[in-house]
Amino acid sequence: MTNPANEQLLKLHYILPLSWEKVRNLMEITDDFDEILHISPKFLASQLNIREEKAAQLIKHYKEVIQRSMAIYYDQHNITPIPYTDPLYPERLKQLYDAPAVVYAKGDVQLLNRPKMMAVIGSRAATSYSENVLKSILPPLIREQYVIVSGLARGADRLAHEATIRYGGKTIGVLGHGLFHSYPPQNKELNAYMASEHLLITEYPPYVGVQKWHFPARNRIISGLCEALVVTEAALKSGTLITSELALEQGKDVFAVPGNIFSEQSRGTNKLIKEGAIPVWDGFQILEEIQLFSNSR
């Protein structure tokens, strides 16, 4: 990546992973980010809506990386940084009010250009019910060239990625940390395989480790990438329900698999259905609903 403006943005984002909205605020002052070395921390803090102390650290660290080539750095690690202005940047993510300024990808980046994407999520304590449900939901979607998107977490996310691979489909894992890390530990092999044969993406620079608050933020990207979302299992209080609510706020269709009323992991999905999610138990239903919605729009 030789574009000087992109290089500057990658340096800035490496130090502080800002949203595109905050980057645009900075561009109101200057479109030459090297100029931040000559801006007072107080003024920079006011433009970016961050603490003055953080602004001072940003200036300090920017000075340290100013001579580094970020293009070479990421190339050495087989990471593709995709700034908001890059043609590879997913159009659907641009609809987010807090879209990442940069997305970092490892694997088959062309998957981001695929028009059909479906999020499949569920409980981290998913039971064999999710595994069986995926046998009827995923094959029809994969035959229709849907890329399956999930969060590479324990439970339903892992099951969705593994089943997609098993049925010959393509899958994207959205991470809540940088690409130098693998979490949870039991997904290490799957993480490595997807980074080689499928795709991993994240809004965090590679060195950023695992933080609990990253995962709710990560969820908006999962729902943001996709035209619809499928929930296999979910407890009443879970990140899965938060992601479903985000999808609804983004105007996405939410499909939920009904379950045993006595199962803790089906209480969330049954609640979603009560609140208006579309009940499904095989992939053909999802395709029919999507076709119906597309014809009525």
Side-chain angles (χ1 to χ4, degrees), residues 128-155:
S128 59
Y129 185 64
S130 277
E131 192 169 2
N132 289 327
V133 158
L134 292 172
K135 292 175 184 177
S136 62
I137 283 183
L138 289 183
L141 297 176
I142 290 168
R143 280 196 292 272
E144 288 298 316
Q145 303 299 310
Y146 272 90
V147 175
I148 304 303
V149 180
S150 199
L152 203 56
R154 297 189 306 274

Side-chain angles (χ1 to χ4, degrees), residues 161-220:
H161 292 303
E162 289 180 332
T164 301
I165 294 166
R166 188 164 61 250
Y167 294 129
K170 287 294 184 179
T171 187
I172 297 174
V174 183
L175 308 180
H177 49 79
L179 288 164
F180 288 167
H181 303 272
S182 178
Y183 181 84
Q186 56 265 46
N187 285 359
K188 188 174 182 179
E189 287 186 16
L190 178 60
N191 186 297
Y193 182 77
M194 288 178 60
S196 171
E197 303 299 324
H198 296 266
L199 183 65
L200 300 179
I201 66 168
T202 177
E203 64 181 311
Y204 299 105
Y207 64 87
V208 174
V210 177
Q211 300 288 339
K212 283 186 178 180
W213 60 270
H214 286 172
F215 293 97
R218 177 274 314 263
N219 292 343
R220 82 193 192 287

